[in-house]
Amino acid sequence: MNWLRRKLGYASAPAGIDLVLTDDCNLKCAYCARGGSSRTAPVPAYMEVARALDLVDELAELRPRPFIRLFGGEPFLHPEWDRIVRHASDRGVWCTAVTNGTLLGEHARRLTDSGLLAVGISLDGHAGIHDPVRGRGTFDRIMAGLEALEDCRKGSGSPHPLVEIYATVQPSNVGRLVEFARFLAGKPIALLRLQHLIWCTPEQFERTRRLVAPLFPGQAVLEEEAPYQRAGPPDVDPVVFLRQKRELERTRWPFKVEFHPNLPDRQWTPFLTQSSCGPRDSEHCRNMEAYAYIRPTGALRPCVSVEIGNVFERPFRELWNAAGFRAFRRLVRSHGRLPACARCPD
């Protein structure tokens, strides 16, 4: 793509698509912006299968083909999620999924038969750490589900779907990350990803809203980001975190360990204790030119909750470089990173 098209806000085909099959969820995690226990969730939507299959066909025609990540809510609540994955696999499109893990046991055979490449499971630690945030009994359900999935993988002779663990670093587990990794070393997983809560101050949120709102008149922009506001950072001790991080890096594990964001050690203290990213402020975000998010209704979004159009009404290829998306890219490129996005790990 030449410099002029980039300056005008155009982008090449995305590397990935988040396909939100449903915003329904069977849990109410304490820090979830959508469904935390203190909030009332709206009536959930489910993506129509016929439309999802047509969309997969369209995405398969892009070059290079983007991968699809099934998301939610809880994607495995969608009654025909595996039909969508099989169709994508037949068209040469890889699919992964992000799940709370509580439905692995009842979906184990469907998971191995679907062609799903990998499944990422939200798991924050042992039951005493995980359950107070995610719900009583969720840890045991995940463990039973992992066993059922491994039995099905062995029976099928396939390593897929690979199992990835996504752990959110928080005050309750920051000093026990190495202990958690030792526990996981006996489980059939391929990756442990340690990620951090996304949040912004009310001032950062309002500055971002004022920047974005003029591009989308008539829309209530950033509604889904509003619950991420907080006065200050979570009480995660950077000294404790760095000690755990260095031991994780020194140790050989039977799985890959990743840190999101991936920062040099000198940048972790400001990241964990300040409302801005400090040295990371100079980094330019490219998420809006490499990724897209499609809601159950077909609404196409960049990384924040503004709607570019509907992929069930207009072709994805048109909307990807439509006026709204190009304007949003120009805005982000001009700022490098929007104020409310300082804590984003991407």
Side-chain angles (χ1 to χ4, degrees), residues 95-168:
C95 286
T96 64
V98 176
T99 174
N100 61 42
T102 59
L103 302 179
L104 290 179
E106 61 189 83
H107 289 262
R109 177 58 63 189
R110 294 171 69 184
L111 283 162
T112 54
D113 292 346
S114 67
L116 195 69
L117 181 64
V119 57
I121 303 167
S122 298
L123 183 65
D124 297 328
H126 299 290
I129 293 172
H130 184 84
D131 284 7
V133 174
R134 307 281 184 172
R136 181 181 298 178
T138 53
F139 177 85
D140 288 341
R141 290 178 66 185
I142 293 170
M143 292 300 103
L146 284 175
E147 290 184 14
L149 178 57
E150 180 63 3
D151 288 344
C152 288
R153 290 199 307 183
K154 289 178 179 177
S156 69
S158 171
H160 297 128
L162 301 176
V163 175
E164 302 176 348
I165 301 297
Y166 303 156
T168 301

Side-chain angles (χ1 to χ4, degrees), residues 69-88:
R69 182 172 67 167
L70 304 185
F71 215 85
E74 171 51 52
F76 297 141
L77 287 175
H78 193 288
E80 296 190 79
W81 66 265
D82 49 341
R83 182 181 171 191
I84 297 168
V85 172
R86 285 196 300 271
H87 186 74

Side-chain angles (χ1 to χ4, degrees), residues 107-317:
H107 289 262
R109 177 58 63 189
R110 294 171 69 184
L111 283 162
T112 54
D113 292 346
S114 67
L116 195 69
L117 181 64
V119 57
I121 303 167
S122 298
L123 183 65
D124 297 328
H126 299 290
I129 293 172
H130 184 84
D131 284 7
V133 174
R134 307 281 184 172
R136 181 181 298 178
T138 53
F139 177 85
D140 288 341
R141 290 178 66 185
I142 293 170
M143 292 300 103
L146 284 175
E147 290 184 14
L149 178 57
E150 180 63 3
D151 288 344
C152 288
R153 290 199 307 183
K154 289 178 179 177
S156 69
S158 171
H160 297 128
L162 301 176
V163 175
E164 302 176 348
I165 301 297
Y166 303 156
T168 301
V169 179
Q170 49 198 295
S172 62
N173 69 1
V174 64
R176 304 180 67 180
L177 301 177
V178 175
E179 175 190 334
F180 185 43
R182 292 192 182 115
F183 167 77
L184 293 175
K187 306 296 179 183
I189 72 168
L191 171 72
L192 169 60
R193 187 174 83 185
L194 297 168
Q195 53 198 26
H196 294 259
L197 288 176
I198 298 175
W199 63 277
C200 65
T201 66
E203 187 270 340
Q204 289 171 323
F205 176 82
E206 183 57 27
R207 284 170 54 202
T208 303
R209 192 194 63 77
R210 288 198 301 266
L211 288 170
V212 174
L215 304 181
F216 302 93
Q219 287 194 36
V221 301
L222 307 186
E223 281 189 307
E224 291 190 7
E225 286 71 36
Y228 289 107
Q229 297 175 80
R230 54 185 298 153
D235 189 21
V236 173
D237 188 327
V239 175
V240 175
F241 173 74
L242 281 169
R243 188 182 302 126
Q244 294 282 303
K245 176 179 179 288
R246 289 163 182 158
E247 186 169 349
L248 285 166
E249 291 173 331
R250 287 194 300 265
T251 305
R252 293 187 63 181
W253 304 101
F255 44 78
K256 184 178 180 181
V257 177
E258 288 184 355
F259 300 89
H260 281 218
N262 184 21
L263 301 177
D265 283 1
R266 69 180 183 279
Q267 292 185 18
W268 276 108
T269 295
F271 180 82
L272 292 171
T273 59
Q274 300 173 11
S275 61
S276 66
C277 280
R280 294 184 73 245
D281 287 340
S282 62
E283 296 184 14
H284 285 246
C285 175
R286 293 179 174 82
N287 196 41
M288 75 296 176
E289 58 193 64
Y291 223 85
Y293 302 79
I294 299 175
R295 302 285 296 147
T297 58
L300 175 68
R301 294 179 176 177
C303 46
V304 297
S305 55
V306 296
E307 294 194 7
I308 305 299
N310 194 296
V311 298
F312 298 153
E313 298 170 1
R314 289 179 59 190
F316 175 87
R317 190 188 301 270

Side-chain angles (χ1 to χ4, degrees), residues 17-23 45-49 51-52 55 58-59 292-302 306-317 319-320 325:
I17 302 289
D18 259 13
L19 199 61
V20 183
L21 296 184
T22 177
D23 45 22
Y46 286 77
M47 185 173 288
E48 294 181 24
V49 175
R51 286 181 157 180
L55 176 62
E58 184 181 356
L59 296 175
Y293 302 79
I294 299 175
R295 302 285 296 147
T297 58
L300 175 68
R301 294 179 176 177
V306 296
E307 294 194 7
I308 305 299
N310 194 296
V311 298
F312 298 153
E313 298 170 1
R314 289 179 59 190
F316 175 87
R317 190 188 301 270
L319 291 173
W320 175 244
F325 225 139

